[in-house]
Amino acid sequence: MTGAFGQPWPQPAGVAGGFAAGAAPQPGPAGVAAGPVPGVPSTPPPAAGTPPPPGGGTRPVRLPTKVLCGLLGLFLLWIVCHFVVNVTVSGALDDAQALGHEDTSSIDDYPALRAWSEGLTVVGYLLSAPLVAAWLTWFWRVRTNAEALAPGRVRYPAGMAIGAWFIPVCCWWFPKQIINDVWRASSQDLDARAPSPFGGPQPVTGRTLTNAWWTLWVLFFTLRVFGQWGAWYQSPLYDAGSSVGGDLVLDLLGFPLGIVALMLVQRLGRRQRQALAAAGA
């Protein structure tokens, strides 16, 4: 390499013959290949909008799922006992009316039936507190994990997984939207791996299960809150039958509700654990 007047340009040490010999190029001007620069990461930063890796914001769901399933099992057992007692009381009330009695206390086995009814009422209240707490804990955890699995694709903030149940009017559809998004986020990796008979990924939405659970819950909650009937043993004989009838309707709704809720919790908990494991969380 020579200059304009035939004199050779000075060359830095190590450049002459370096490229021909396959040596690594030295740092040079812009546009020239250079080696690593101290203090600058060799891996380029992630592109804008790239979701963060799951794991930092995830919560374990195995224990909350087991606790909630156990409490739902106790709820189903309570429903069965409550139904049997109400059927027995209903038959005793019919017999007393057929005999022309007017006092509720005149039915057969009145002390035992009242004791069973009062005892099951107390057990129901004692069971409802941990059941509600376990449900809200599980619901919040699966919502938090869904955000880590699919950032920005779950409606409402994570705190709404608890608050949505207590907001008037909104409580009739916000939780259903959240559970739909959680199911979708927890199943997206499984959907991609599931073969379809028509080619492509097999959609696994879980809409049938979530729709059944939400329909039964709305019916049960509406009748439980707005049903105007008291305890049968505190009502006149001609009104006691209506009170027992209302309790029987709640039992007939509560049992399938408990079954569907148990299926939903088990299936969604298992899918989310699989999705988190596949994502390395």
Side-chain angles (χ1 to χ4, degrees), residues 171-258:
C171 63
W172 296 104
W173 73 86
F174 276 20
K176 177 59 164 58
Q177 291 178 327
I178 293 174
I179 199 69
N180 285 342
D181 294 345
V182 169
W183 184 282
R184 189 179 302 110
S186 304
S187 303
Q188 57 182 355
D189 292 335
L190 302 178
D191 296 346
R193 295 196 301 270
S196 172
F198 305 102
Q202 174 69 40
V204 184
T205 61
R207 283 297 180 90
T208 301
L209 188 58
T210 57
N211 288 343
W213 161 72
W214 187 249
T215 301
L216 290 170
W217 163 252
V218 168
L219 292 174
F220 181 84
F221 179 74
T222 302
L223 289 177
R224 187 67 182 87
V225 173
F226 299 105
Q228 300 295 325
W229 59 80
W232 64 267
Y233 47 82
Q234 295 177 345
S235 305
L237 185 60
Y238 55 86
D239 286 337
S242 299
S243 300
V244 175
D247 286 341
L248 285 172
V249 172
L250 282 176
D251 293 339
L252 293 175
L253 281 174
F255 189 79
L257 171 62

Side-chain angles (χ1 to χ4, degrees), residues 48-68:
T50 302
T58 59
R59 306 281 178 174
V61 294
R62 184 181 298 274
L63 181 58
T65 299
K66 289 183 177 181
V67 172
L68 182 55

